[in-house]
Amino acid sequence: EAMFMLKTAAVGLLSIPLLLLGLVASSGLVVVDVKASDGPRIVVPVPLFLAHAALGFAPDEAREVEVPELGEYSEIAGRLVAELRDCDDAVLVEVDDRNDHVLIEKIGDEIAIEVTSDDEEVSVRIPLAAAAEVLDSYDGRRLHVAGVLDALSSSSSLSGTELVHVRSENEEVKIWVRTVQCLNCVTS
């Protein structure tokens, strides 16, 4: 009987890491990767289920982001996202001046924003499916952080997507999402 109890306890303890792995796999990760030219590389994987759990302990003001400017345009933004999902790939905006180049284009199911200047390069990718989910979380005055987290964890279009990439001469920052289909992917 003591041996049975020991085996049961061992199975119970061994199942905890598997349960955690299952939670991470089902919700995915947001990975923040920071490389400073004069320091170490810091990679912080944030399991989305932990972000959801932490949100339950956050103060009310941290659970919502006030965006009153979107209020009168939220319906138009939703229709724009829907139309962009249906249209062919295209350059939407391109601006060149002496020091900067800005390019906004629709590529596949994403809006790609590239900004290049003399001292910095910024790349932002916005999957349209995730943008639609985020807009759905807007209540006319606020975006709900839970809705943003839901969009990050549920949208298969985000898997492996590098959402933000900023490069300057002193540092490089990347933020991307890994969902269940891509948890074993490695960074470049």
Side-chain angles (χ1 to χ4, degrees):
E1 189 171 305
M3 187 57 100
F4 176 74
M5 294 293 283
L6 187 59
K7 286 180 183 179
T8 304
V11 168
L13 287 174
L14 291 174
S15 66
I16 291 172
L18 292 175
L19 176 63
L20 289 175
L21 183 62
L23 284 171
V24 170
S26 68
S27 68
L29 298 168
V30 171
V31 181
V32 179
D33 182 350
V34 180
K35 285 190 264 186
S37 61
D38 60 348
R41 178 178 181 184
I42 300 170
V43 179
V44 180
V46 179
L48 288 168
F49 82 91
L50 282 180
H52 268 286
L55 193 58
F57 298 102
D60 289 341
E61 61 272 8
R63 295 178 192 191
E64 303 168 335
V65 178
E66 294 280 336
V67 191
E69 305 84 8
L70 181 58
E72 64 184 285
Y73 303 107
S74 65
E75 185 179 325
I76 294 168
R79 287 195 313 230
L80 177 64
V81 167
E83 289 296 324
L84 283 169
R85 292 181 81 182
D86 291 336
C87 76
D88 293 334
D89 293 359
V91 172
L92 303 174
V93 176
E94 187 166 16
V95 178
D96 270 311
D97 70 15
R98 281 183 254 160
N99 302 316
D100 301 315
H101 179 217
V102 177
L103 176 64
I104 302 173
E105 59 188 326
K106 191 236 184 204
I107 303 171
D109 194 35
E110 295 180 343
I111 295 297
I113 303 166
E114 306 285 337
V115 180
T116 307
S117 67
D118 293 338
D119 59 348
E120 192 170 60
E121 294 175 22
V122 177
S123 173
V124 177
R125 303 262 185 214
I126 304 169
L128 292 167
E133 282 190 64
V134 169
L135 285 170
D136 286 344
S137 79
Y138 186 69
D139 69 3
R141 206 181 67 183
R142 300 172 300 269
L143 282 173
H144 298 273
V145 175
V148 174
L149 292 174
D150 288 342
L152 289 173
S153 60
S154 69
S155 180
S156 62
S157 67
L158 284 171
S159 186
T161 299
E162 189 174 88
L163 298 174
V164 178
H165 187 173
V166 179
R167 183 180 312 155
S168 69
E169 64 182 56
N170 297 326
E171 66 185 357
E172 183 173 15
V173 177
K174 296 179 187 178
I175 301 172
W176 71 91
V177 176
R178 294 286 185 243
T179 57
V180 69
Q181 304 93 338
C182 199
L183 281 178
N184 62 349
C185 297
V186 291
T187 64
S188 53

